[in-house]
Amino acid sequence: MLKAPNRDQVIALGGVFQACALVDTLARTGHIQPDALKTSLDSLLNQNPSSCEATFGALNHLTTGFNAMEKLLSSDKEKKAPDILRYALGLIYLQGKLLKSAALLDEIGSGISKANLQAQHFSTDHENVISSLADLYSKTISTYRFRIQVNGQSGYLQQESIAKRVRCLLFSGIRAAILWHQMGGRRWHFIVYRRQLLEQLNQLRRDA
């Protein structure tokens, strides 16, 4: 018997869509709220959370992701955000590839541990930490033939500081996608359980 998506799956999926929505905003405007970036970086660095919710600090930290999910699952075609959906499906595909590579997982785990030490010395969103995580993404995830092509303003995307933040956000999205998979999430849930996903999402918003 099929099981409908549970609370933890939708929280993790909110993390995926938050990363994608932030990438979209950053690529198009050159700016995102510092707190939103910090939430994504914190979730990436938090490798041993006490719960799925604790990965992101609090439910209200995922408002952007929940809003993006609602637009995707809504029947209103005018609300659709095709780039955000494409990024999300791409991240889910990449996490599936990554989970099959023990060597890359070990390399990423080691790199994140080093970035964590930097974050303790400086801060989570310090430029040194961002550079380390972006470089780790380039050396690991970017080695796959499949790459996520980010749409936006070339003037922003060509700026190294923005490019690094985009990589960090995509990295955090893959981390959330892995968490989603660990909680039992699957791609076909988007088709079969759309209504249930919306119900869980609305409950999470009330709880936040």
Side-chain angles (χ1 to χ4, degrees):
M1 183 177 177
L2 298 178
K3 292 184 178 180
N6 59 43
R7 175 186 173 90
D8 283 343
Q9 287 173 24
V10 179
I11 290 173
L13 201 55
V16 175
F17 277 92
Q18 176 135 320
C20 296
L22 292 174
V23 165
D24 188 60
T25 299
L26 186 57
R28 295 181 188 280
T29 70
H31 176 75
I32 55 174
Q33 292 298 320
D35 287 348
L37 174 64
K38 189 175 186 303
T39 292
S40 289
L41 293 173
D42 284 342
S43 71
L44 178 57
L45 292 174
N46 187 358
Q47 294 295 290
N48 295 292
S50 58
S51 66
C52 188
E53 183 177 339
T55 304
F56 307 99
L59 290 178
N60 61 358
H61 292 171
L62 289 173
T63 300
T64 298
F66 290 157
N67 288 343
M69 279 182 64
E70 191 277 332
K71 289 179 180 179
L72 166 69
L73 298 171
S74 169
S75 59
D76 187 348
K77 293 184 179 180
E78 292 184 357
K79 291 184 176 181
K80 301 300 184 188
D83 281 335
I84 293 176
L85 175 59
R86 180 170 60 83
Y87 299 155
L89 293 176
L91 292 177
I92 289 170
Y93 173 78
L94 284 171
Q95 67 85 26
K97 297 278 288 182
L98 182 59
L99 288 177
K100 296 176 184 177
S101 176
L104 273 186
L105 284 171
D106 286 345
E107 184 176 351
I108 287 171
S110 177
I112 287 178
S113 294
K114 292 178 181 177
N116 246 318
L117 291 175
Q118 287 181 307
Q120 292 171 21
H121 183 71
F122 299 106
S123 64
T124 303
D125 52 355
H126 191 277
E127 286 298 326
N128 288 3
V129 178
I130 290 172
S131 292
S132 291
L133 291 172
D135 186 54
L136 181 62
Y137 182 93
S138 295
K139 290 179 178 178
T140 55
I141 305 300
S142 290
T143 61
Y144 287 117
R145 291 182 63 184
F146 175 84
R147 295 189 183 186
I148 295 175
Q149 299 298 318
V150 176
N151 288 335
Q153 297 292 327
S154 59
Y156 294 131
L157 292 172
Q158 290 172 2
Q159 295 179 32
E160 187 61 25
S161 63
I162 290 179
K164 287 179 180 179
R165 282 160 173 75
V166 166
R167 293 188 199 108
C168 288
L169 290 168
L170 292 174
F171 215 165
S172 74
I174 291 175
R175 191 266 188 274
I178 289 175
L179 184 60
W180 173 72
H181 186 272
Q182 290 172 337
M183 296 297 157
R186 299 295 181 268
R187 281 183 59 156
W188 52 265
H189 285 178
F190 289 117
I191 300 172
V192 178
Y193 289 134
R194 189 165 128 179
R195 178 178 59 82
Q196 292 91 336
L197 283 168
L198 271 172
E199 290 173 354
Q200 284 280 3
L201 181 58
N202 290 330
Q203 182 59 55
L204 287 170
R205 280 174 157 170
R206 289 190 290 270
D207 292 347

